[in-house]
Amino acid sequence: MLSRLPWHSPPFISASTSTREVLGSVLTDILQSSGNFQQSVSQGRRVISFHGSVKFVQTSCRISVPRVSVGRETQVPSKFLKDRKMVPNADPPSIEDVSRLYQLFDQSTKLVVLTGAGISTECGIPDYRSPNGAYSSGFKPITHQEFVRSSHARRRYWARSYAGWRRFTAAKPGAAHVALASLEKAGRINFMITQNVDRLHHRAGSNPLELHGTVYSVICLDCGFSFCRNLFQDEVKALNPKWAAAVESLDHGSPGSDKSFGMKQRPDGDIEIDEKFWEEDFHIPTCQRCKGTLKPDVVFFGDNVPKEKADKAMEVARECDGFLVLGSSLMTMSAYRLVRAAHKAGATTAIVNIGTTRADDIVSLKLNARLGEILPRVLNTGSLIIPALE
């Protein structure tokens, strides 16, 4: 049986409606209303004012969005992210579960948060290991060794990645991302680490250490030069002018036909492409500086996390007084070793994840819940005072 953090009834603001309740509800409403959320992104700033028996508080939320080229190639049918149920089933979090998680935020002064794929599945980006994840459909991710040694593998990877790019970037931050950004701005999170490469935390206003890199950058394996992924997309389009029309045919033509280069949308959000089209007719840009091989600036399976990032993550794990894992099974050693280090250093450790994880037997608290349901409720609990977000 897992031991749990002691539970104490959290303190409440004396007002009939607490500051936290108001802010948490507004954050949830913003995300539940696609129209309101789109407005907050396009204008870049939302100001919320409210009164009560507590002191007047004005809260501003600024959400920055990575630069994405506009045009028909970025217009994605809204039904794309609803094509498959990607989030595993979980019971709604109980009041006791919410209170226990609240206590971790309230009692920690140097809290480190590590997020995994589970926080992004709620935004429509599939994970690997859950019951509905990519592995369940037979998908096998490319390894670093395969990418480096095989031009065939690189061509296949970039063809599929180019075709799926606009769908990948159509995902928006979820309620959990926004809740974490609010807690971070309030000083309740000392440091954030993410295993994800999708930049959804950044779009919600956070700036986490990207342990496994990001697909928003491309790097040269030969000289180390890196540049924006959108520029790479433009280069691919220039070298392969027929592919833009082919990608468009996925949504507005005949999927699987020669006109769409044999591309079909797979249930897990991946792109299936007939090999005869990309084997000879797809050209990959080379490095502008040295003509070397380009790859996304991510850590593929079989590769190592860059030493500087690994050392920084280990440093904060050993120095924290609380370590919270959100949406990760911790099956990769790069993530598991951080939880283990924090535990050995005496920090309170906790996990919120649907399903078992590699560290279930060493953490003080394990909750089985959807992050988009429990984190906004933590914002509604007690008196976690959130300052203005700038």
Side-chain angles (χ1 to χ4, degrees):
M1 179 179 295
L2 297 173
S3 60
R4 295 184 182 273
L5 290 169
W7 177 74
H8 306 285
S9 178
F12 287 86
I13 295 176
S14 59
S16 59
T17 301
S18 71
T19 300
R20 173 65 22 231
E21 287 176 328
V22 174
L23 178 56
S25 298
V26 172
L27 288 172
T28 302
D29 291 343
I30 290 173
L31 288 165
Q32 288 177 343
S33 174
S34 60
N36 288 342
F37 182 67
Q38 289 290 342
Q39 182 180 7
S40 68
V41 171
S42 62
Q43 294 180 352
R45 186 175 179 87
R46 173 176 289 274
V47 178
I48 308 160
S49 300
F50 41 89
H51 295 272
S53 61
V54 296
K55 184 179 180 181
F56 172 77
V57 178
Q58 177 172 287
T59 298
S60 303
C61 180
R62 183 183 299 278
I63 299 177
S64 59
V65 181
R67 187 182 300 275
V68 178
S69 58
V70 296
R72 296 193 60 175
E73 64 269 23
T74 62
Q75 298 173 359
V76 183
S78 59
K79 67 181 179 62
F80 162 67
L81 298 177
K82 302 178 182 179
D83 285 344
R84 177 176 175 137
K85 182 179 180 182
M86 297 178 183
V87 186
N89 291 323
D91 293 332
S94 66
I95 294 176
E96 184 181 12
D97 288 342
V98 174
S99 297
R100 286 171 173 160
L101 187 57
Y102 163 86
Q103 289 295 326
L104 179 63
F105 282 103
D106 188 50
Q107 296 174 3
S108 299
T109 58
K110 297 180 68 177
L111 179 65
V112 172
V113 172
L114 169 69
T115 67
I119 195 171
S120 292
T121 55
E122 298 179 22
C123 306
I125 296 178
D127 63 357
Y128 288 117
R129 295 181 174 88
S130 71
N132 296 324
Y135 285 159
S136 67
S137 64
F139 173 77
K140 293 183 179 180
I142 191 170
T143 66
H144 177 78
Q145 293 77 12
E146 183 183 7
F147 186 93
V148 170
R149 69 170 177 253
S150 172
S151 60
H152 179 273
R154 290 195 296 273
R155 190 176 293 110
R156 181 184 67 224
Y157 173 86
W158 280 124
R160 293 163 66 110
S161 184
Y162 173 78
W165 179 245
R166 64 176 184 163
R167 289 170 169 74
F168 185 84
T169 57
K172 297 180 177 65
H177 293 94
V178 175
L180 287 176
S182 298
L183 289 164
E184 189 178 27
K185 294 289 186 181
R188 297 292 179 168
I189 297 175
N190 186 59
F191 198 87
M192 190 184 301
I193 305 168
T194 186
Q195 296 174 266
N196 300 333
V197 299
D198 51 40
R199 286 277 165 96
L200 290 181
H201 280 300
H202 293 76
R203 296 172 67 178
S206 298
N207 186 29
L209 173 68
E210 295 173 310
L211 197 63
H212 296 157
T214 175
V215 291
Y216 278 87
S217 296
V218 176
I219 190 169
C220 176
L221 291 175
D222 297 288
C223 72
F225 174 67
S226 64
F227 59 100
C228 176
R229 172 63 183 268
N230 289 312
L231 295 178
F232 178 85
Q233 290 291 116
D234 292 340
E235 290 183 19
V236 172
K237 183 176 181 179
L239 289 174
N240 305 275
K242 294 181 180 179
W243 275 74
V247 170
E248 194 71 20
S249 295
L250 279 172
D251 301 317
H252 307 291
S254 303
S257 68
D258 282 3
K259 183 178 180 181
S260 66
F261 280 25
M263 289 186 283
K264 299 178 183 178
Q265 188 71 52
R266 291 179 56 178
D268 61 5
D270 196 7
I271 299 291
E272 178 182 333
I273 307 177
D274 193 317
E275 183 173 342
K276 69 179 181 180
F277 293 105
W278 57 258
E279 175 59 26
E280 296 181 357
D281 296 333
F282 185 80
H283 304 284
I284 307 173
T286 56
C287 177
Q288 299 174 357
R289 292 189 176 181
C290 72
K291 304 301 180 183
T293 301
L294 298 174
K295 71 178 285 291
D297 194 8
V298 300
V299 178
F300 283 143
F301 285 89
D303 195 8
N304 297 316
V305 174
K307 187 178 185 304
E308 182 179 351
K309 287 185 177 182
D311 289 347
K312 180 60 179 179
M314 182 58 68
E315 176 187 343
V316 297
R318 288 172 174 165
E319 295 179 354
C320 72
D321 62 358
F323 195 101
L324 174 61
V325 178
L326 300 173
S328 175
S329 61
L330 300 172
M331 291 304 175
T332 61
M333 179 55 71
S334 59
Y336 172 70
R337 64 195 290 264
L338 300 177
V339 185
R340 185 178 61 188
H343 173 73
K344 288 183 178 180
T348 301
T349 53
I351 297 174
V352 183
N353 185 67
I354 302 177
T356 59
T357 80
R358 192 175 183 176
D360 283 357
D361 60 339
I362 67 172
V363 297
S364 305
L365 173 66
K366 170 65 191 303
L367 301 176
N368 198 73
R370 293 186 176 185
L371 301 175
E373 294 178 351
I374 193 169
L375 288 176
R377 291 181 63 182
V378 169
L379 290 178
N380 287 335
T381 303
S383 55
L384 295 177
I385 301 301
I386 304 296
L389 304 183
E390 299 178 354

